[in-house]
Amino acid sequence: MNQRAMTRRTALRILGLTAAAAGLRTGAPAAAAPTGEVKIGLAAEPNTFDPHLTVGRNTQIFIANVYDGLTARDVQGNLVPALAESWKRLNATTWQFALRKGVKFHNGDDFNAECVKFTLDRATNPETKATISSEVSTIGGAEIVDPFTVNVITRTPDFLLPVRLGELFGLMLSPKHTNATGKEAIAVKPNGTGPFKLVTWAKNERLVLEANENYWRGSPKVKTIVVRPILEDAARVAALQAGEVDLIAPIPHVRIAELQKNDKLVIKTIAAPRIFHVTIDVRKPPFDNVKVRQALNYAVDVNAILKTLYFGHGTRLATVVDKGALGYDPSVAPYPYDPSKAKALLAEAGYPNGFEVEFDSFTGSIADHSKPAEAIVGYLQKVGIRAKANVFEFSALGPRRVQNKTAPLFIYSIGNAYLEPSWVIRWMTQGGLGMHYKNARLDELLTRIEATDDPKKRAPQYSDVQKLIKDEAPFIFLYQADAAFGMSARVDYTPRPDETQWLYPLALKG
Amino acid sequence: MRRYIAGRLATAVLVILGVSVVSFFLTFLTGDPAEIMLPPGATAAQIGKFRAEWGFDDPVIVQYWRFLKRAVYGDFGISLRHGQQSLPLIAARLPATLQLTVTAMLLAIALAVPLGVLAATHRGGPIDLLAMGVALVGQSVPNFWLAIMMILLFAVSWGLLPTSGRGGVAHVVMPAAAIAINLMALLTRLVRSTMIEMLSEDYVRTARAKGLRELFVTSRHALPNALIPLVTVVGLQFGYILGGAVVIETIFTWPGVGLFTIQAILNRDYPVVQASVFILATAVVLINLTVDLLYVWLDPRIRVT
């Protein structure tokens, strides 16, 4: 029986290969109509399909399936053209985008320069009360040059504008549909140019996407995608094991090894761009002394934390530049774990007996911060730093950060959605939210980088930035954790390094 | 009677108002939604601007007053997260929660009554021991643990039931069982003890003396009277069942009020939290009132004055 099945399968495979070869010979395009259905289990669903009212990364990484931005990312994370075919900076504060022609929204509306202007006006209009307003705050306005050319004027020079106006915060709306549908309904009745159309959405229950066969990149391969929010980790993993869904994300780190042993499943991980770090209040002694800050970095065994809390599914970071970011320099080595060196540095700085300090951590956010914080506090105590841990609810830590009332040490993480170190470092040196590190040299380096529009020329300049930050040690540098995706053997999917749940390339095998 | 009901309804309004005040201030004590709603790169100044725009920097009492003024007209405000009116959002999830809780309640009663009666009629015997053992385990097992164990066994290992979600009858089995187990245990003990009490009453002895068959005595004379306290307990337990549903709905991603409320609390989505508290509190108050009225009807010895 088994033998026969094998031969049949082999025969089919040979037939398939022949057909493919025949196709190649005649030069016929492999443009097949989308087929099949794939079920996906996600930890969270979008809060809305209104790109200007999105809350949280879980929404932003999903709704790009229905919309397009002016730019996009490829599977390596490189910025690539999307609704804009090309872009250039005309002067310090003007970016010009040449738009793709012949693109249509799901309802048949044409995409053109008017749509870009309408979308940006809406995003920046205070009446929209856009949740993403902080990320589009540099935009001063848009000018239509011709139906397929738009100039975007920024208030200050903004080298990141092409990234902003990509899948992150530049998803394009149809003016006609948006005005006709109204602000409340647009949340559940999106009309984008993206690879999938939203068919139905019962919140907390299921969301059904259907392939946009007229997509300008070519039709997606899968006809129907059913997304089920399965909040509980155990239930989500169980749904994959029971074959109810074909793809789940994320998988808790503790379950990865066990699921990797299951030969019916494929587990793929990416280094999620969330950068864990401990902010040090450099204004206050003893932390105004760089030796103390370096001592903190020598004192914490980050690799052991990765091994025990993340079961090895993470990457030790030397600074606050993550592995997937532009210009990440692997030659900048992380501080090794060296408690005696830490003690020596503390003694040199005048604290041979350590000191007392408070340490803030929190629970209830998208990622676990309280357990790593506990471990770090333990390591600090080992070198004589009597750290006292305070654990807050995430939304209670917020007001403390806004009022700069955080403890001299607090754990936090930032998702580098832009994959651009300067974006992270500028945020971390803003002089607010409990972060007070300033450095003229760093500022100079970043300013030079930000004046360079070509990513290839920007990348090498980040090496000096990473060296400087490592030596200055204004943070305890920690790690980025992996995000794990689980899939059945019948689907083919490669997760993207910026975490976007981009379903366009998803395919059924065989 | 009419005055009694009117009085109870007036108290209900006070109860609902009280619950709303407490929940409003409790959610505020633990922070505001500004940071959850904004993208991670927002600066302190941008967060401040956002809080001012949405009125989160006003004193809590001012914010509550603003809320209350609209709430009396049934307007609980637009959900911060979903951008839609919050009361209809919650109301749309009520059928799912009622399906789950009512199934759980019926399941608990259907198991508890025969088990309790058998235990009482076979007092001290092996059946009694077994029933009390089941009740003990049922009362002490944490339902979230039971839920996950059931998923592993019935869905993953044996493939008999779906792991989570709402769909056909099969979907409701595990979540309803997980909620029912505690109540079932409680009711089994209750039925057993009231049955034992009833079986030693004079009217039962009279019935037996008349030469009626034991089965008839138990089912027609003792049981109906033993079930009266059950009505009260089930009514009172409904609030707990709704509470338990919050946990179970989350584990099974059951799209009901509980799951939606938990998410609203975590996201500090005040309009939704308030709408949900209003609906749940109203449901509990109405059910308790119904139970009390039912009690009067079932037991003529009780009079409303």
Side-chain angles (χ1 to χ4, degrees), chain A residues 457-508:
Chain A
K457 290 185 184 142
R458 268 204 314 273
Q461 298 184 49
Y462 276 120
S463 287
D464 286 344
V465 171
Q466 288 164 78
K467 282 171 202 149
L468 183 147
I469 290 183
K470 188 195 157 185
D471 293 341
E472 282 281 288
F475 305 92
I476 303 179
F477 307 117
L478 298 174
Y479 51 83
Q480 57 185 129
D482 288 346
F485 293 67
M487 56 203 87
S488 70
R490 74 185 269 269
V491 299
D492 185 18
Y493 183 67
T494 307
R496 243 168 63 172
D498 64 345
E499 284 186 300
T500 300
Q501 288 156 347
W502 179 237
L503 301 172
Y504 175 62
L506 180 71
L508 284 161

Side-chain angles (χ1 to χ4, degrees), chain A residues 321-376:
Chain A
V321 175
D322 57 302
K323 203 167 72 169
L326 186 81
Y328 170 76
D329 186 349
S331 75
V332 179
Y335 282 93
Y337 174 53
D338 191 344
S340 39
K341 174 104 182 177
K343 278 186 197 159
L345 280 168
L346 285 177
E348 273 178 50
Y351 301 94
N353 301 317
F355 49 83
E356 277 182 16
V357 65
E358 291 203 30
F359 189 119
D360 285 353
S361 79
F362 55 96
T363 58
S365 83
I366 195 166
D368 183 11
H369 291 78
S370 63
K371 280 207 273 302
E374 262 174 56
I376 295 164

Side-chain angles (χ1 to χ4, degrees), chain B residues 118-133 192 196:
Chain B
L118 281 174
T121 50
H122 298 77
R123 194 175 170 190
I127 295 182
D128 187 17
L129 211 63
L130 182 76
M132 287 303 95
R192 179 183 177 270
I196 288 173

Side-chain angles (χ1 to χ4, degrees), chain A residues 47 228-229 244 395 398 401, chain B residues 30 35 81 163-164 253 268:
Chain A
N47 70 305
R228 273 178 55 194
E244 283 174 26
S395 51
R401 292 172 64 236
Chain B
T30 55
E35 256 207 300
R81 193 172 172 81
T163 53
S164 62
T253 318
R268 300 297 182 274

Side-chain angles (χ1 to χ4, degrees), chain A residues 76-87:
Chain A
Q76 281 86 36
N78 302 307
L79 200 66
V80 293
L83 289 181
E85 285 182 317
S86 66
W87 51 92

Side-chain angles (χ1 to χ4, degrees), chain A residues 47 55 131 134 137 184 203-205 228-232 235 238-239 244 393 395-396 398 401 412 423 427 430 433, chain B residues 30-31 35-36 38-44 46 78 81-84 93 151 156 162-164 251 253 260 263 268:
Chain A
N47 70 305
V55 174
T131 49
S134 61
S137 62
E184 265 190 59
K203 272 186 186 158
N204 284 349
E205 214 166 337
R228 273 178 55 194
I230 310 178
L231 288 82
E232 184 70 21
E244 283 174 26
E393 169 67 29
S395 51
R401 292 172 64 236
Y412 208 74
W423 180 78
W427 182 79
Q430 64 174 275
L433 299 178
Chain B
T30 55
E35 256 207 300
I36 295 170
L38 292 177
T43 59
Q46 285 160 338
I78 305 265
R81 193 172 172 81
H82 303 280
Q84 292 164 286
R93 273 144 193 93
I151 292 176
V156 178
T163 53
S164 62
I251 293 177
T253 318
F260 208 69
Q263 289 177 311
R268 300 297 182 274

Side-chain angles (χ1 to χ4, degrees), chain A residues 43-48 53-60 126 129-135 137 169 183-184 187-188 201-206 228-232 234-242 244 255 364 393-399 401-403 412-415 423 427 430 432-433, chain B residues 27 29-51 53-55 78 80-85 89 93 96 148 151-152 155-157 159 161-167 171 247 249-256 259-263 265-268:
Chain A
E45 62 187 334
N47 70 305
T48 176
L53 297 177
T54 58
V55 174
R57 197 77 187 109
N58 284 320
T59 303
Q60 284 140 19
K129 284 195 176 180
T131 49
I132 62 159
S133 61
S134 61
E135 299 304 312
S137 62
F169 306 108
K183 197 180 167 189
E184 265 190 59
V188 290
W201 183 19
K203 272 186 186 158
N204 284 349
E205 214 166 337
R206 68 188 60 236
R228 273 178 55 194
I230 310 178
L231 288 82
E232 184 70 21
R236 191 165 55 254
V237 172
L240 179 70
Q241 288 173 315
E244 283 174 26
R255 303 289 301 273
E393 169 67 29
F394 179 55
S395 51
L397 183 76
R401 292 172 64 236
V402 172
Q403 295 157 25
Y412 208 74
S413 70
I414 173 106
W423 180 78
W427 182 79
Q430 64 174 275
L433 299 178
Chain B
T27 26
L29 276 179
T30 55
D32 74 50
E35 256 207 300
I36 295 170
M37 288 186 68
L38 292 177
T43 59
Q46 285 160 338
I47 293 173
K49 182 170 157 268
F50 178 87
R51 294 183 75 232
E53 267 174 20
W54 287 73
I78 305 265
L80 304 178
R81 193 172 172 81
H82 303 280
Q84 292 164 286
Q85 275 290 339
L89 275 175
R93 273 144 193 93
I148 291 185
I151 292 176
L152 287 181
V156 178
S157 296
L161 295 168
T163 53
S164 62
R166 187 178 179 220
H171 285 86
V247 176
E249 283 185 4
T250 309
I251 293 177
F252 289 98
T253 318
W254 185 266
L259 172 62
F260 208 69
T261 307
I262 279 287
Q263 289 177 311
I265 292 170
L266 291 176
N267 294 307
R268 300 297 182 274

